[in-house]
Amino acid sequence: MLVAFSVAPTGDAETGSMHEAVAAAVKVVRDSGLPNRTDSMFTTIEGEWDEVFDVVKRATDAVAAYGPRVSLVLKADIRPGHTGELTGKLERLEKALDSE
């Protein structure tokens, strides 16, 4: 499965700025060893249900240290039996664009 998520502190963040909190979450993701990609809006992670959501929870917990409230947005592509979709979906898109 692929899960794209965005997590950030909300409310009065007294212990740091937004980018520091997001960096803490991204570090959790990168340290997980699961395939991942971060862009300006979301971090996408690929793996099995339990391992992906464990990482999302730990990333959310890391952000919670930066404020009294946390905002979490998730989007999931649940496709059992498929792996390599973090890059595979983009490769198919580029191939379709090249054939136009």
Side-chain angles (χ1 to χ4, degrees), residues 6-95:
S6 173
V7 60
T10 60
D12 297 327
E14 295 180 21
T15 60
S17 67
M18 183 81 70
H19 72 272
E20 291 169 339
V22 172
V26 171
K27 181 170 179 7
V28 169
V29 172
R30 291 183 180 174
D31 288 349
S32 75
L34 294 176
N36 65 85
R37 177 176 289 133
T38 299
D39 62 36
S40 61
M41 295 291 293
F42 288 95
T43 293
T44 304
I45 187 168
E46 183 171 18
E48 297 298 320
W49 185 280
D50 290 338
E51 61 189 359
V52 168
F53 278 95
D54 173 64
V55 173
V56 171
K57 181 185 183 319
R58 290 187 289 117
T60 302
D61 291 344
V63 169
Y66 290 85
R69 192 173 189 175
V70 176
S71 172
L72 174 65
V73 176
L74 295 163
K75 181 175 182 177
D77 181 1
I78 303 163
R79 196 171 180 199
H82 291 264
T83 58
E85 291 298 287
L86 189 67
T87 57
K89 290 177 97 172
L90 293 173
E91 289 165 359
R92 290 188 298 276
L93 172 63
E94 290 300 329
K95 184 177 178 182

